[in-house]
């Protein structure tokens, strides 16, 4: 059978008998080209090429050394149920890694445009270098706990692959939304004619708090309240929001270049953050309605 014919027929066949080692490899390659994620279990020398060709090679502790060295997973006990647990953990890890990628790429893409655009029309730096470093440090803490977050059932039901095109669309869509609300913050602070130190303090607070809270939006393609976030993600996010809000009023504020914010500015910034979260939630629903992961 030709390679093209095998690719078209392989999904319709449940059992292959009396096949040679190179034919095992051909079947696996055909399955992969047909769009399947392929795992292969083998324990002998004649299984090495198939183990290498599969997406995941699986062997056992009593297998030939070369088979164990080629496989990605070696079972230490005679229990195939561990593979189900491994598949589930792998999909959880993949889903949470995607959340981090979505969060980091969209936030950095939006901040890049915000900082570059603000530098064109502001007569001063919107944030000092030490304030930028502090922003990166504080926003990293909630992202570090994404690894322990709960995952949507849809992400566990079937395997997923990296889709750079999807990630690019997500980054551009939510990066632009982030940048729009950064410019809205600039406009409000300039309209209120605040001093430079308060301008930097206001944007710092808005940027860090919105970046921490937006994790709850991008972590799931479902509604904001349909899937409970992980405990550690909720704790770290609440801690960072509280710490960022209190920082301008601590003795450390003058050393970082911050000033306490009047109640009017706090009210405006709170409204902007709320509108940002609601807009991102609405954009997420529209986005996933037209773009499938």
């Amino acid at each position: 059978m030709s390679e093209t014919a095998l690719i078209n027929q392989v999904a319709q066949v449940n059992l292959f008998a009396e096949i040679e080692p190179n034919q095992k490899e051909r079947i696996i390659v055909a399955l992969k080209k047909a769009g399947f994620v392929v795992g292969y279990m083998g324990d002998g020398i004649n299984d090495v090429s198939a183990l290498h060709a599969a997406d995941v090679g699986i062997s056992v502790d009593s297998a030939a050394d070369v088979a164990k060295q080629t496989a990605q997973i070696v079972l230490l006990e005679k229990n195939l149920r561990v593979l189900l647990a491994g598949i589930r953990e792998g999909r959880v890890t993949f889903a949470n890694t995607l959340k981090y990628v979505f969060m980091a790429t969209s936030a950095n893409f939006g901040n890049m445009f915000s900082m570059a655009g603000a530098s064109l029309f502001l007569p001063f730096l919107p944030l000092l270098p030490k304030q930028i470093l502090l922003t990166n440090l504080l926003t990293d803490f909630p992202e570090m706990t994404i690894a322990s977050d709960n995952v949507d059932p849809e992400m566990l039901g079937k395997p997923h692959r990296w889709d750079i095109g999807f990630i690019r669309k997500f980054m551009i869509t939510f990066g632009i939304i982030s940048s729009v609300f950064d410019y809205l913050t600039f406009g409000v602070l300039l309209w209120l004619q605040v001093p430079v130190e308060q301008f930097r303090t206001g944007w710092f607070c808005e940027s860090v708090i919105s970046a921490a809270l937006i994790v709850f939006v991008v972590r799931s393609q479902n509604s904001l309240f349909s899937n409970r976030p992980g405990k550690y993600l909720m704790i770290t996010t609440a801690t960072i929001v509280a710490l960022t809000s209190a920082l301008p009023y601590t003795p450390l504020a003058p050393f970082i270049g911050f000033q306490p914010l009047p109640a009017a500015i706090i009210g405006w910034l709170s409204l902007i953050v709320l509108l940002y979260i609601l807009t991102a939630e609405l954009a997420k629903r529209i986005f996933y309605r037209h773009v499938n992961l």
Side-chain angles (χ1 to χ4, degrees), residues 55-69:
D55 290 298
V56 181
I58 305 167
S59 192
V60 293
D61 192 37
S62 59
D65 289 342
V66 66
K68 290 193 290 184
Q69 293 172 1

Side-chain angles (χ1 to χ4, degrees), residues 10 12-17 19 27:
V10 70
Q12 309 301 323
V13 179
N14 294 325
L15 179 65
F16 296 88
I19 54 176
I27 293 169

Side-chain angles (χ1 to χ4, degrees), residues 2 15 65 68 80 88 91 136 146 148 158-159 182 191 276:
S2 69
L15 179 65
D65 289 342
K68 290 193 290 184
L80 294 180
R88 178 180 175 83
R91 292 179 183 177
N136 292 333
I146 289 177
S148 63
K158 62 179 181 179
D182 281 337
W191 173 61
Y276 174 46

Side-chain angles (χ1 to χ4, degrees), residues 73-232:
I73 296 176
V74 177
L75 301 179
L76 301 181
E77 299 179 2
K78 295 181 179 180
N79 184 2
L80 294 180
R81 292 186 180 276
V82 71
L83 293 177
L84 296 177
I87 290 171
R88 178 180 175 83
E89 288 302 314
R91 292 179 183 177
V92 168
T93 301
F94 182 83
N96 285 333
T97 302
L98 272 182
K99 296 177 189 178
Y100 180 85
V101 171
F102 290 159
M103 173 64 195
T105 54
S106 59
N108 291 335
F109 183 76
N111 288 339
M112 177 186 68
F113 275 102
S114 301
M115 183 66 73
S119 300
L120 294 177
F121 65 85
L122 290 178
F124 55 87
L125 290 175
L127 284 178
L128 298 176
K130 57 187 176 183
Q131 295 168 346
I132 296 175
L133 292 175
L134 183 58
T135 299
N136 292 333
L137 175 65
L138 293 177
T139 54
D140 280 345
F141 280 103
E143 294 175 4
M144 289 169 59
T145 59
I146 289 177
S148 63
D149 191 24
N150 300 324
V151 176
D152 290 336
E154 295 86 350
M155 295 298 295
L156 301 178
K158 62 179 181 179
H160 295 270
R161 292 180 179 270
W162 285 109
D163 187 342
I164 299 301
F166 182 89
I167 294 174
R168 185 188 306 115
K169 293 174 183 176
F170 192 99
M171 176 189 72
I172 293 174
T173 300
F174 290 89
I176 290 175
I177 293 174
S178 173
S179 190
V180 165
F181 281 89
D182 281 337
Y183 284 114
L184 179 59
T185 303
F186 298 156
V188 169
L189 294 174
L190 291 175
W191 173 61
L192 294 174
Q193 298 181 346
V194 300
V196 173
E197 290 76 11
Q198 288 188 0
F199 183 99
R200 291 169 176 160
T201 304
W203 188 35
F204 171 85
C205 291
E206 184 273 338
S207 180
V208 173
I209 292 174
S210 62
L213 294 177
I214 199 66
V215 175
F216 295 121
V217 176
V218 302
R219 60 175 293 276
S220 172
Q221 57 182 297
N222 297 318
S223 172
L224 180 62
F225 303 103
S226 63
N227 184 0
R228 182 180 176 85
K231 177 178 67 175
Y232 297 109

Side-chain angles (χ1 to χ4, degrees), residues 246-254:
L247 191 57
Y249 306 93
T250 65
L252 293 175

Side-chain angles (χ1 to χ4, degrees), residues 253-275:
F255 299 99
I256 309 174
F258 292 151
Q259 281 188 359
L261 297 174
I265 296 179
I266 295 175
W268 278 106
L269 294 178
S270 301
L271 179 60
I272 290 172
V273 171
L274 177 61
L275 289 175

Side-chain angles (χ1 to χ4, degrees), residues 48 90 114 237:
V48 170
S114 301
T237 301

